């Protein structure tokens, strides 16, 4: 191949638009040069586009280096899991008082319902003698790590339907198009691991008939595209289109990338589109992932006692338990943000039966992850988060019977727990009223939660911004306060 002839042809086969976009010289070559020789133009050693964050220094000393977010999609019922309400049992079947409901918004699914009978949980609770927290018998493994976690019973949100609520919790806005938490973290901090993405997403289903997720939940929004979450799938090819097609070997792939680099070096031009640099960064990352991904996703080197710790599903690729184990392996390799989405918690009817399935699929593996990180010395600087997008109503949706009931969406209060990474262990924070309908003490808004996550990473949430369409945006929009009471 004649490099010079090919490059000359490329230079002369330009349209007028290409010419206008390439009149400013030097920046494109600098971007490519930083890919090929990372130390050449960087004040920090061994940084390349996509691995170095925009922050020159952290705003304060961090407590966490990485986050594993165990997102329980669908809205787990706080009343059945962590928010013990004996008053609901006493008043089981009675109409919810108007003074409690207060004319608050309900979903359209209740439009035809004229009666709203209170319903207590049919599951038993036990209180931890040291933390004072209550745990239902649906989550026996989580109860065993009570002294390692902080349960927040006073979370609240503004969204009442699934998609806007998930988007709001992840991006700080109910409308799509904003960057999610993982993308903000990637943008601000980058990644110490140059061979794996800084933001990885894993999906699992607690039951087959479950609501799908909007990929905007792990989207980069208006940030450069190499900050979006990279989804790992179960099966032979964890990342789509990562493997070389037939007829292309690794050496051929390397020559192709080198040719693209030489082409842009010779042109010495900026193409006027910042996504070009993101694409080149993604090409290089994909090339390195061809060896790093098979290594991290191969669980065959895990001992049997680890599989026993996470539960019987841990050996089945794509299950929540297997994803929790994979999240630990990614944490060991310093991947900064790993997000697990576990779908199926939406129980409008048949709740007593369905929630047992979801809790069983989540409880042991979630607790095992905390235990596993702790025994490996990783929990101190790894923040683990467990929770959904909202809670469930204290009154029954649909007909209430002796054995069956359902609960509608409830944004006014829900429960979440966190562990490690600077969180005060063995604590219970916030209270709801006797009906688990309104917050009575220490409410934590979604923006407060987001501000606290960034704070634990050493970031002031008001200072990590990105200018888009004339306005500076941030994850917490114009809101949010750090919840200092839950920090160690």
């Amino acid at each position: 191949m004649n490099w010079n002839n090919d490059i000359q042809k490329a230079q002369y086969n330009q349209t007028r638009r290409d010419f206008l976009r390439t009149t400013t010289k030097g920046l494109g070559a600098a971007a490519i040069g930083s890919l090929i020789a990372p130390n050449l133009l960087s004040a920090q050693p061994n940084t390349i586009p996509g691995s170095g964050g925009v922050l020159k220094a952290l705003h304060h000393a961090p407590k966490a280096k990485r986050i594993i977010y165990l997102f329980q999609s669908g809205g787990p019922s706080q009343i059945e899991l962590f928010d013990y309400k004996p008053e609901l049992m006493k008043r089981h079947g009675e109409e919810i008082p108007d003074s409690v409901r207060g004319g608050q918004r309900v979903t359209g699914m209740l439009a035809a319902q004229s009666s709203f009978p209170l319903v207590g949980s049919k599951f038993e609770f036990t209180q931890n003698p040291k933390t004072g927290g209550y745990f239902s018998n649906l989550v026996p493994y989580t109860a065993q790590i009570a002294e390692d976690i902080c349960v927040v019973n006073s979370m609240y949100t503004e969204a009442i339907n699934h998609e806007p609520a998930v988007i709001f919790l992840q991006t700080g806005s109910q409308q799509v198009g904003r960057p999610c938490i993982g993308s903000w973290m990637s943008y601000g901090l980058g990644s110490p691991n140059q061979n794996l993405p800084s933001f990885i997403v894993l999906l699992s289903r607690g039951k087959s008939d479950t609501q799908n997720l909007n990929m905007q939940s792990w989207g980069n929004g208006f940030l450069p595209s190499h900050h979006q979450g990279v989804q790992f799938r179960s099966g032979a090819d964890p990342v789509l289109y990562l493997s070389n097609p037939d007829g292309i070997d690794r050496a051929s792939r390397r020559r192709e990338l080198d040719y693209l680099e030489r082409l842009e070096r010779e042109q010495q031009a900026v193409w006027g589109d910042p996504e070009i640099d993101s694409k080149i960064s993604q090409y290089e990352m994909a090339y390195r992932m061809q060896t790093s991904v098979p290594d991290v996703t191969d669980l065959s080197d895990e001992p049997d006692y680890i599989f026993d710790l996470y539960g019987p599903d841990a050996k089945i690729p794509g299950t929540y338990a297997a994803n929790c184990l994979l999240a630990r392996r990614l944490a060991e390799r310093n991947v900064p943000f790993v997000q697990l989405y576990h779908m199926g918690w939406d129980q409008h009817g048949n709740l007593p039966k369905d929630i047992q399935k979801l809790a069983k699929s989540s409880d042991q593996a979630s607790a095992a992850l905390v235990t596993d990180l702790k025994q490996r010395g990783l929990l101190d600087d790894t923040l683990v988060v467990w929770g959904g997008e909202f809670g469930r109503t204290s009154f029954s949706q649909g007909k209430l019977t002796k054995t069956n009931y359902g609960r509608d969406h409830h944004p006014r209060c829900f429960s979440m727990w966190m562990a490690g990474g600077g969180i005060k262990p063995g604590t219970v924070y916030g209270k709801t009223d006797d009906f688990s309908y309104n917050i009575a003490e220490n409410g934590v808004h979604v923006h407060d939660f987001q501000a606290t996550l960034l704070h634990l990473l050493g970031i002031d949430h008001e200072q990590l911004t990105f200018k888009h369409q004339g306005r500076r945006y941030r994850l917490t929009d114009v809101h949010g306060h750090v919840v200092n009471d839950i920090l160690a």
Side-chain angles (χ1 to χ4, degrees):
M1 179 180 292
N2 190 322
W3 290 105
N4 293 328
N5 289 342
D6 290 339
I7 290 169
Q8 289 173 358
K9 290 178 182 179
Q11 288 176 324
Y12 288 111
N13 289 335
Q14 287 186 322
T15 66
R16 181 176 60 180
R17 180 174 296 177
D18 292 331
F19 173 78
L20 292 174
R21 288 188 303 180
T22 58
T23 52
T24 303
K25 304 297 182 179
L27 294 182
I32 290 295
S34 65
L35 270 176
I36 305 306
N39 297 331
L40 183 62
L41 300 174
S42 176
Q44 297 178 343
N46 300 319
T47 59
I48 60 174
S51 68
V54 298
L55 296 178
K56 300 301 182 183
L58 294 174
H59 301 130
H60 53 264
K63 295 293 184 68
K65 294 180 180 178
R66 65 195 72 85
I67 294 177
I68 300 176
Y69 194 160
L70 310 175
F71 192 84
Q72 312 299 310
S73 181
S77 174
Q78 75 282 6
I79 300 170
E80 266 69 33
L81 298 173
F82 307 109
D83 202 12
Y84 177 53
K85 296 300 174 186
E87 185 69 18
L88 285 179
M89 295 303 300
K90 296 177 183 177
R91 304 182 67 164
H92 188 86
E94 297 180 13
E95 286 292 311
I96 184 171
D98 290 339
S99 59
V100 174
R101 185 177 169 191
Q104 293 175 19
R105 177 186 177 196
V106 295
T107 71
M109 289 174 284
L110 297 176
Q113 188 166 322
S114 58
S115 177
F116 301 91
L118 294 170
V119 52
S121 174
K122 71 182 295 293
F123 301 99
E124 297 180 358
F125 279 75
T126 56
Q127 185 178 25
N128 184 282
K130 293 186 178 180
T131 70
Y134 285 89
F135 299 86
S136 86
N137 58 10
L138 289 173
V139 287
Y141 290 95
T142 305
Q144 293 176 17
I145 61 167
E147 295 178 37
D148 294 315
I149 68 177
C150 170
V151 179
V152 180
N153 283 323
S154 54
M155 288 290 303
Y156 70 101
T157 183
E158 299 167 15
I160 199 168
N161 290 311
H162 291 292
E163 184 169 315
V166 174
I167 294 292
F168 185 47
L169 196 57
Q170 300 302 319
T171 72
S173 173
Q174 295 186 48
Q175 298 177 331
V176 298
R178 301 278 187 88
C180 65
I181 299 173
S183 294
W184 278 111
M185 184 174 172
S186 173
Y187 168 71
L189 300 179
S191 174
N193 189 327
Q194 297 182 8
N195 298 317
L196 287 168
S198 57
F199 175 18
I200 293 175
V201 176
L202 305 169
L203 305 183
S204 59
R205 292 178 180 270
K207 58 179 183 178
S208 57
D209 56 334
T210 189
Q211 189 175 35
N212 289 322
L213 288 162
N214 188 329
M215 293 179 65
Q216 291 290 331
S217 300
W218 56 90
N220 58 291
F222 43 69
L223 293 177
S225 60
H226 61 268
H227 297 300
Q228 69 181 333
V230 177
Q231 183 181 343
F232 279 23
R233 294 163 169 82
S234 59
D237 291 310
V239 180
L240 294 181
Y241 313 116
L242 184 64
S243 301
N244 290 323
D246 293 340
I248 300 295
D249 57 18
R250 188 163 177 80
S252 299
R253 178 67 71 195
R254 182 67 264 170
R255 286 195 299 271
E256 176 188 5
L257 295 176
D258 290 342
Y259 178 77
L260 290 174
E261 177 269 324
R262 290 193 183 202
L263 181 62
E264 187 157 319
R265 262 184 181 275
E266 290 293 330
Q267 288 180 327
Q268 293 185 350
V270 58
W271 293 353
D273 184 357
E275 280 300 298
I276 296 299
D277 290 336
S278 285
K279 292 298 182 184
I280 294 172
S281 173
Q282 289 170 325
Y283 294 155
E284 292 291 336
M285 173 60 75
Y287 180 76
R288 296 190 295 273
M289 286 168 60
Q290 288 182 333
T291 55
S292 63
V293 169
D295 172 65
V296 73
T297 57
D298 181 7
L299 307 184
S300 62
D301 59 345
E302 294 288 343
D304 288 340
Y305 77 88
I306 289 295
F307 288 111
D308 293 340
L309 178 66
Y310 283 85
D313 287 346
K315 291 186 177 182
I316 305 174
T319 61
Y320 180 76
N323 285 348
C324 282
L325 177 52
L326 179 55
R328 188 267 289 164
R329 292 172 65 90
L330 292 169
E332 286 181 308
R333 289 159 174 80
N334 285 317
V335 173
F337 197 93
V338 183
Q339 179 124 35
L340 279 66
Y341 284 94
H342 190 47
M343 297 172 278
W345 289 93
D346 191 24
Q347 288 128 15
H348 293 274
N350 202 31
L351 184 146
K353 181 179 179 180
D354 286 348
I355 199 171
Q356 291 184 65
K357 297 178 182 177
L358 266 295
K360 184 177 180 180
S361 66
S362 170
D363 176 48
Q364 181 176 355
S366 300
L369 176 61
V370 173
T371 301
D372 200 4
L373 290 169
K374 185 178 181 180
Q375 68 187 9
R376 294 170 188 271
L378 289 169
L379 187 60
D380 288 343
D381 56 10
T382 303
L383 176 63
V384 180
V385 180
W386 187 102
E389 66 267 35
F390 44 50
R392 314 302 294 198
T393 56
S394 51
F395 57 79
S396 178
Q397 179 178 356
K399 186 177 181 180
L400 173 62
T401 70
K402 291 183 178 180
T403 59
N404 200 12
Y405 56 88
R407 299 190 190 274
D408 196 21
H409 310 164
H410 188 60
R412 299 291 298 176
C413 58
F414 61 103
S415 297
M416 176 180 288
W417 61 256
M418 292 177 272
I423 288 293
K424 188 183 296 183
T427 57
V428 180
Y429 186 76
K431 293 181 180 179
T432 58
D433 60 19
D434 290 339
F435 303 89
S436 192
Y437 203 87
N438 298 291
I439 291 174
E441 182 180 307
N442 295 328
V444 178
H445 186 267
V446 165
H447 289 310
D448 301 331
F449 163 72
Q450 294 163 342
T452 304
L453 292 194
L454 293 182
H455 176 84
L456 290 167
L457 294 167
I459 300 173
D460 182 337
H461 70 103
E462 295 184 356
Q463 296 188 47
L464 180 60
T465 62
F466 186 89
K467 191 172 184 179
H468 174 64
Q469 295 182 340
R471 177 192 163 187
R472 293 194 181 277
Y473 287 86
R474 68 185 203 221
L475 172 61
T476 53
D477 199 35
V478 295
H479 310 282
H481 299 88
V482 176
V483 187
N484 291 298
D485 290 342
I486 66 173
L487 304 183

